[in-house]
Amino acid sequence: MLFLIEFEIKKHFDSSAIASYVRSDVAFNFIHDHHNELKDTVVLLDLNMPVMDGFQVLENLKSVSHKLKVIIVTSSMSDEDREKAMDYSFVQGYINKPLKGLELKRILANI
């Protein structure tokens, strides 16, 4: 699935630099260690991930001073999950999988 998401991003955003993480704890540690360098960064976050789920990542991001824009990309169809995720001020959008590049472009255009 990660390959398909990267493919959609590259198809619609030619100059995008992409860093992919399978484990959420590794991704969060990178953000924690480099948050000052990530001012124009968009994070695509799944809610269902190993080690820390997406909500744990969102909670941990609250403790880091950052200017990240987070877009949830998930298979969760739960209205409760959508509402809970959108309550975080830095979450800018919620996309149900599969990711569609045009939907991502629409969200990014409104940020």
Side-chain angles (χ1 to χ4, degrees):
M1 180 59 82
L2 195 54
F3 168 76
L4 294 175
I5 291 172
E6 288 179 8
F7 176 77
E8 275 295 302
I9 292 170
K10 288 178 182 175
K11 185 169 79 175
H12 293 280
F13 304 92
D14 338 331
S15 63
S16 299
I18 300 172
S20 301
Y21 297 91
V22 174
R23 289 186 35 182
S24 54
D25 59 327
V26 176
F28 175 76
N29 289 338
F30 177 83
I31 290 169
H32 182 270
D33 294 345
H34 301 280
H35 64 275
N36 290 326
E37 305 158 30
L38 302 174
K39 63 180 178 174
D40 294 322
T41 299
V42 175
V43 174
L44 302 180
L45 177 66
D46 195 343
L47 297 179
N48 304 309
M49 297 190 330
V51 184
M52 290 189 328
D53 69 27
F55 288 114
Q56 290 170 308
V57 173
L58 292 172
E59 265 312 297
N60 287 337
L61 283 175
K62 285 180 15 180
S63 68
V64 177
S65 175
H66 65 81
K67 300 213 184 289
L68 299 172
K69 296 167 184 73
V70 176
I71 298 173
I72 304 298
V73 180
T74 186
S75 58
S76 174
M77 301 298 277
S78 163
D79 288 336
E80 183 179 314
D81 282 351
R82 176 184 294 271
E83 290 171 17
K84 184 176 174 183
M86 295 303 293
D87 281 343
Y88 291 87
S89 62
F90 46 86
V91 173
Q92 303 295 311
Y94 192 101
I95 300 173
N96 289 106
K97 288 181 182 178
L99 174 71
K100 295 167 194 76
L102 293 176
E103 188 173 1
L104 180 58
K105 269 188 167 180
R106 181 188 54 76
I107 290 171
L108 291 174
N110 292 318
I111 294 178

